[in-house]
Amino acid sequence: MTLVWKTPNGPLLQTEVGTIDVVNTFTAARSLYGWMGGTDGLRFLLQRILNPFGGRLKILELDRNLRLMPLQAHVLTSQGPLVALLDDARESFGGDIRTQVTGMTICALAHECRDITAVRLFCQYLLPQLFGEASLLLSVVQSQLMENTTLQKILNEGASRGLNNLFIETAADLNLPEVNSAWGPMKRGDKTLDFGFVGPASMIGGLLRWVAQGGGLEYRTRSTAVARLAAYLKAIGYNIGDIHTWNGHGAPPVSIHTRSVTLVLGGSSETDPLMEAIERVLDGPLVLHYQHKTTGAMLLMALGHVSNIPPETLQDDFEKVFDYIEGILTVEYTCRNGALTAEYRWRDAGKKSTSMETRLASIYFSHIAERVAPCFNRIAKQKYLNCVKGRSSKVMQSDEKQLGRFRAITASVAISIISRFASGTFKTAHHATQLDLSLPGWLSMVCKSLDLDDSFPMPTVVSLLAMVHAGISNSDKMPAAATEIIAWRNGIYSVVPSLLVDMKVSPESPQLVCLDRFWANVSTESNGCIKSSNTEEIQRYDISPDQLYSHSDLSSAERLAEPYLGPPDLSAPDCPLYLSLGTPLHYGDPHLCFIGWFQGSVAGAVGITDALKAILMSRVEPDICPGHEGGPKHVLNVKTSVWARKLLSKPIHKQHSVFVPVADDHCWTIFTAGQMVNQGGRIVFRCPTCADEKYERQVPDGSSPDGRPNHDSRPLCFVGFCERGLNEE
């Protein structure tokens, strides 16, 4: 096997990949909720019994048709995001055809269903056919696959091998409808079944029974989820023929192949013949994949059995709401009371909303009702208000068209507001969500969270974005502000601070971005959330006067080896630092941190939160330096080689601030500022003296800028990121 690295836009040219990035990537792969080894336990079991389901694999032709895929994952490095390619398709999902069929099939099912529903469907409909109806192994295998660690590793491996992207592209290439807007009663002989009763999992179960039985000439369904799933199974190697759509009138399409699947969009012909009521499968919400241009279709799917609203209407509603919110709302990331927050910045809309618009907005929003009221102008009519009053906590019925459109517009408002937390990437990324508008829970929880205040702790912001981008469930409460959640990953979907993607210090560093490619070099919690580690505590030692030199006393070479007093040294670092993402070395939780590597050894670990706090708390200098009488204020210059000499012990001076020159070096800036942010460390972007004076004016009462009492009167530590050649007048 050969590991190849590429940039997302093409071949890798003149870019150094640190060995530690490779090591950390495969360490994360084997971590508790990583992306390798999910089928190891199943393979161990199957290797010790007499060749189960070998014959069935031949009948289904999976023994020679299964489409195995190599690793293709994104790794975030100090050089920016890189793509890791590993030619290991044969070793995927344990390297055993039986575990490969199991893993890839569950990934296909989980692309449409909740992960636990996917396992139950597989175990109820396909596993008995593969093992034999009476096999004692069925319950053992199902129990193992449903174990959370195993299941998450299987789904993550599928994402790392491009299965999610394959499924998205397959559905797009077939041009299947995003949603079936022609639900009608389904006939089974002389019985009429209502889709709202049987649910999507029942219909998917019917398809799986058809597949397990070898597939007849044709399978007709009224569910786009079933048609898409048939396409996914075909893409990974199942023997399924053509996939058609039919309006239900006139002659049905004719396939030249057997085992075809037909999506029926109208009429009254019998469909889904193998569907049955499922007692042992939880029929939870589908996983809905969407982009900005298909949000209307996603909203209609989220409404469930409400079918008489055209998806084009909901798309038009969404785009008008999105454009309005985009025009009046920006989000600013700040650091208040020692915590990262995102704050609303509303602009005047220029027009006053009507009372009907405000009354509709107030059903789910109270604090910001006046701000978002114009979003409801297309349904600001008494008949809508009559239909939705008192229904916010009710299950929606199939004939409640006005309530359905109101809930879809309200969800559009929520999604549009949440998109502002990742304004640079949300509009262009692929997304996934478990939004369910037939029930009141999702809207109630999300709208309440958005309406509480104009300021939101970072864990809440990350969780809200993960609900509309990464497809996480809303079954849990919003995380507490002190949880240190800084990112989220669920399959190919991630919510990440821009700082981790670019590894550059900029005004955009704290902003969140939406990734739609698998992020490999990170360890997550069981639910996919990613927490920032804390930063190792730094001890500071005083430099005695007899050890201190003035810049005029030392030669240029001597200034590299010893701290010295003088004007700020605006030079570049005197030695390189490699910055990687990893887990902390000073405690054992799988939290995320920056690890600095200096001359082949660890120079320390910095929490992601502390690095972001340092950036946010440092922008205090004026754009133009006004000049300083007597010249620049003297500082204790400490070269980076001296700074890194002692791992957890750094120099200070009783009268002068420490200044570490790292001009234009993003790695040193992130690392050093993050180390010292809780001890007064700040980044200098332009003028060191301006920064020093501005910082002092911020704390006239003896309190630090983050609001905590400043019991330590020792001087600051400035990290000199300012441009080389900058002169103070």
Side-chain angles (χ1 to χ4, degrees), residues 649-691:
S649 183
K650 308 301 176 185
I652 63 168
H653 189 268
K654 291 182 178 179
Q655 284 81 39
H656 298 278
S657 297
V658 170
F659 188 86
V660 183
V662 296
D664 298 326
D665 191 297
H666 295 273
C667 290
W668 268 114
T669 303
I670 294 168
F671 178 72
T672 310
Q675 274 190 319
M676 301 306 297
V677 66
N678 295 319
Q679 298 192 44
R682 299 294 181 268
I683 303 169
V684 175
F685 290 95
R686 299 180 183 87
C687 168
T689 304
C690 285

XYZ file of all heavy atoms in Angstrom, residues 649-691:
334
model
N 7.992 26.260 31.159
C 8.521 27.362 31.964
C 8.974 28.477 31.023
O 9.790 28.242 30.128
C 9.690 26.877 32.825
O 10.166 27.910 33.657
N 8.436 29.696 31.210
C 8.705 30.804 30.303
C 9.191 32.018 31.084
O 8.775 32.259 32.222
C 7.445 31.171 29.510
C 6.780 29.987 28.817
C 7.702 29.292 27.826
C 7.064 28.055 27.216
N 7.993 27.300 26.351
N 10.065 32.849 30.482
C 10.649 33.989 31.199
C 9.692 35.175 31.317
O 8.815 35.372 30.472
C 11.855 34.357 30.322
C 11.460 33.925 28.951
C 10.635 32.680 29.144
N 9.872 35.969 32.387
C 9.147 37.226 32.549
C 10.127 38.268 33.069
O 11.259 37.953 33.469
C 7.966 37.106 33.540
C 8.502 36.755 34.945
C 6.952 36.116 33.073
C 7.437 36.915 36.015
N 9.674 39.538 33.069
C 10.447 40.626 33.662
C 9.496 41.495 34.455
O 8.342 41.693 34.066
C 11.149 41.445 32.569
C 12.117 42.439 33.122
N 11.768 43.738 33.421
C 13.433 42.306 33.436
C 12.829 44.378 33.895
N 13.854 43.526 33.906
N 9.938 42.008 35.585
C 9.046 42.717 36.502
C 8.583 44.058 35.964
O 7.517 44.547 36.337
C 9.735 42.910 37.855
C 9.929 41.602 38.609
C 10.562 41.835 39.969
C 10.701 40.518 40.737
N 11.335 40.715 42.065
N 9.361 44.696 35.083
C 8.979 46.013 34.586
C 8.552 46.023 33.114
O 7.890 46.955 32.680
C 10.137 47.012 34.736
C 10.350 47.514 36.150
C 11.135 46.528 36.997
O 12.079 45.892 36.494
N 10.766 46.387 38.252
N 8.932 45.026 32.365
C 8.731 45.085 30.917
C 7.948 43.865 30.420
O 8.112 42.755 30.934
C 10.077 45.159 30.186
C 10.874 46.371 30.526
N 10.667 47.596 29.942
C 11.889 46.547 31.424
C 11.510 48.485 30.442
N 12.267 47.870 31.349
N 7.127 44.107 29.416
C 6.400 43.013 28.784
C 7.358 42.137 27.981
O 8.343 42.618 27.413
C 5.313 43.557 27.847
O 4.357 44.299 28.568
N 7.037 40.858 27.919
C 7.789 39.936 27.066
C 7.283 40.078 25.637
O 6.078 40.230 25.392
C 7.613 38.483 27.549
C 8.187 37.498 26.544
C 8.271 38.307 28.912
N 8.200 40.039 24.678
C 7.834 40.140 23.265
C 8.524 39.010 22.511
O 9.751 38.908 22.495
C 8.263 41.494 22.692
C 7.740 41.750 21.299
C 6.484 42.293 21.101
C 8.516 41.443 20.182
C 6.001 42.530 19.820
C 8.036 41.675 18.904
C 6.778 42.219 18.720
N 7.705 38.125 21.902
C 8.240 36.995 21.136
C 8.072 37.315 19.652
O 6.943 37.354 19.144
C 7.505 35.684 21.476
C 8.128 34.514 20.726
C 7.531 35.435 22.984
N 9.156 37.566 18.917
C 9.042 37.936 17.500
C 8.745 36.723 16.620
O 9.539 35.787 16.539
C 10.414 38.531 17.181
C 11.350 37.908 18.160
C 10.554 37.622 19.398
N 7.593 36.751 15.959
C 7.187 35.633 15.087
C 6.594 36.183 13.793
O 5.636 35.631 13.256
C 6.171 34.720 15.789
C 6.770 34.047 17.006
C 4.919 35.490 16.189
N 7.146 37.267 13.260
C 6.525 38.001 12.160
C 6.071 37.087 11.032
O 6.857 36.314 10.481
C 7.510 39.043 11.623
N 4.773 37.174 10.720
C 4.152 36.465 9.594
C 4.132 34.952 9.749
O 3.763 34.253 8.795
C 4.847 36.812 8.273
C 4.739 38.285 7.929
O 3.701 38.881 8.265
O 5.682 38.831 7.336
N 4.502 34.421 10.877
C 4.516 32.966 11.050
C 3.261 32.540 11.803
O 3.110 32.776 13.002
C 5.769 32.529 11.819
C 5.960 31.025 11.786
O 5.097 30.308 12.318
O 6.978 30.569 11.233
N 2.344 31.901 11.092
C 1.054 31.550 11.677
C 1.181 30.453 12.730
O 0.490 30.478 13.750
C 0.092 31.112 10.570
C -0.253 32.205 9.611
N -1.287 33.085 9.820
C 0.323 32.580 8.437
C -1.354 33.944 8.818
N -0.395 33.662 7.961
N 2.044 29.478 12.494
C 2.167 28.371 13.450
C 2.678 28.857 14.800
O 2.118 28.521 15.851
C 3.099 27.290 12.877
S 2.396 26.395 11.474
N 3.757 29.637 14.782
C 4.287 30.160 16.046
C 3.267 31.071 16.730
O 3.130 31.067 17.958
C 5.584 30.929 15.804
C 6.834 30.110 15.920
C 7.705 29.802 14.924
C 7.357 29.502 17.103
N 8.733 29.034 15.398
C 8.548 28.838 16.736
C 6.933 29.436 18.423
C 9.326 28.124 17.649
C 7.708 28.733 19.343
C 8.886 28.092 18.957
N 2.536 31.862 15.952
C 1.567 32.791 16.535
C 0.439 32.041 17.237
O 0.083 32.336 18.388
C 0.980 33.700 15.448
O 2.053 34.402 14.799
C 0.002 34.699 16.042
N -0.138 31.059 16.549
C -1.220 30.273 17.150
C -0.743 29.576 18.410
O -1.417 29.593 19.453
C -1.737 29.233 16.126
C -2.411 29.943 14.949
C -2.701 28.247 16.786
C -2.688 29.030 13.765
N 0.426 28.972 18.326
C 0.937 28.178 19.438
C 1.289 29.039 20.646
O 0.834 28.774 21.770
C 2.176 27.403 18.961
C 2.828 26.569 20.023
C 2.229 25.412 20.490
C 4.053 26.947 20.564
C 2.828 24.640 21.467
C 4.661 26.182 21.540
C 4.048 25.028 21.994
N 2.063 30.090 20.446
C 2.543 30.905 21.566
C 1.411 31.707 22.203
O 1.304 31.776 23.434
C 3.659 31.853 21.093
O 4.640 31.118 20.368
C 4.321 32.536 22.276
N 0.556 32.298 21.377
C -0.556 33.081 21.933
C -1.519 32.182 22.692
O -2.036 32.558 23.752
C -1.280 33.817 20.811
N -1.784 30.970 22.168
C -2.655 30.039 22.878
C -2.071 29.594 24.201
O -2.797 29.424 25.191
N -0.748 29.408 24.234
C -0.093 29.032 25.495
C -0.302 30.074 26.576
O -0.510 29.747 27.745
C 1.415 28.861 25.266
C 1.872 27.503 24.797
C 3.388 27.397 24.835
O 4.108 28.335 24.482
N 3.885 26.249 25.270
N -0.236 31.357 26.207
C -0.163 32.431 27.196
C -1.455 33.229 27.360
O -1.496 34.163 28.156
C 0.970 33.402 26.804
C 2.340 32.743 26.701
S 2.815 31.829 28.192
C 2.886 33.164 29.381
N -2.539 32.878 26.626
C -3.726 33.722 26.649
C -4.298 33.862 28.048
O -4.820 34.925 28.420
C -4.789 33.168 25.673
C -5.323 31.814 26.129
C -5.941 34.160 25.519
N -4.217 32.835 28.856
C -4.774 32.906 30.210
C -3.827 33.564 31.200
O -4.159 33.695 32.378
C -5.149 31.504 30.689
C -6.277 30.901 29.871
O -7.234 31.587 29.536
N -6.156 29.626 29.525
N -2.657 33.989 30.723
C -1.719 34.732 31.568
C -1.375 36.078 30.934
O -0.260 36.576 31.080
C -0.449 33.913 31.792
C -0.706 32.597 32.522
C 0.582 31.946 32.983
O 1.480 32.600 33.514
N 0.687 30.637 32.797
N -2.348 36.647 30.210
C -2.132 37.975 29.633
C -1.476 37.949 28.277
O -1.051 39.007 27.794
N -1.353 36.817 27.639
C -0.732 36.755 26.325
C -1.657 37.270 25.236
O -2.841 36.936 25.206
N -1.114 38.106 24.348
C -1.892 38.677 23.261
C -1.044 38.737 21.988
O 0.182 38.780 22.037
C -2.377 40.088 23.600
C -3.292 40.169 24.822
C -4.625 39.466 24.591
N -5.495 39.566 25.751
C -5.560 38.681 26.737
N -4.773 37.610 26.713
N -6.388 38.853 27.742
N -1.744 38.774 20.841
C -1.076 38.881 19.548
C -0.981 40.351 19.165
O -1.945 41.107 19.313
C -1.857 38.120 18.463
C -2.022 36.647 18.862
C -1.167 38.220 17.110
C -3.011 35.890 17.986
N 0.176 40.763 18.660
C 0.348 42.111 18.121
C 0.243 42.017 16.604
O 1.031 41.320 15.957
C 1.709 42.709 18.518
C 1.903 44.065 17.844
C 1.809 42.844 20.023
N -0.731 42.729 16.040
C -0.934 42.686 14.598
C -0.254 43.851 13.888
O 0.099 43.738 12.720
C -2.429 42.691 14.279
C -3.122 41.404 14.660
C -3.761 41.285 15.886
C -3.110 40.319 13.810
C -4.398 40.100 16.230
C -3.739 39.131 14.154
C -4.381 39.016 15.365
N -0.089 44.990 14.580
C 0.491 46.154 13.911
C 1.612 46.775 14.746
O 2.777 46.642 14.415
C -0.593 47.196 13.616
C -1.707 46.681 12.688
C -2.758 47.753 12.428
N -3.850 47.241 11.616
C -4.920 46.618 12.086
N -5.051 46.447 13.400
N -5.860 46.180 11.282
N 1.230 47.441 15.833
C 2.203 48.201 16.615
C 2.262 47.678 18.042
O 1.255 47.723 18.768
C 1.816 49.678 16.614
S 2.741 50.679 17.807
N 3.400 47.192 18.512
C 3.507 46.673 19.880
C 3.184 47.712 20.954
O 2.544 47.391 21.960
C 4.960 46.208 19.966
C 5.362 45.938 18.548
C 4.648 46.957 17.737
N 3.622 48.957 20.763
C 3.377 49.975 21.778
C 1.895 50.328 21.843
O 1.328 50.507 22.929
C 4.220 51.226 21.496
O 5.604 50.851 21.422
C 4.053 52.266 22.590
N 1.228 50.417 20.681
C -0.221 50.656 20.670
C -0.950 49.534 21.401
O -1.875 49.778 22.187
C -0.734 50.747 19.236
S -0.342 52.280 18.372
N -0.536 48.301 21.132
C -1.180 47.159 21.786
C -0.991 47.223 23.287
O -1.924 46.981 24.063
C -0.612 45.856 21.234
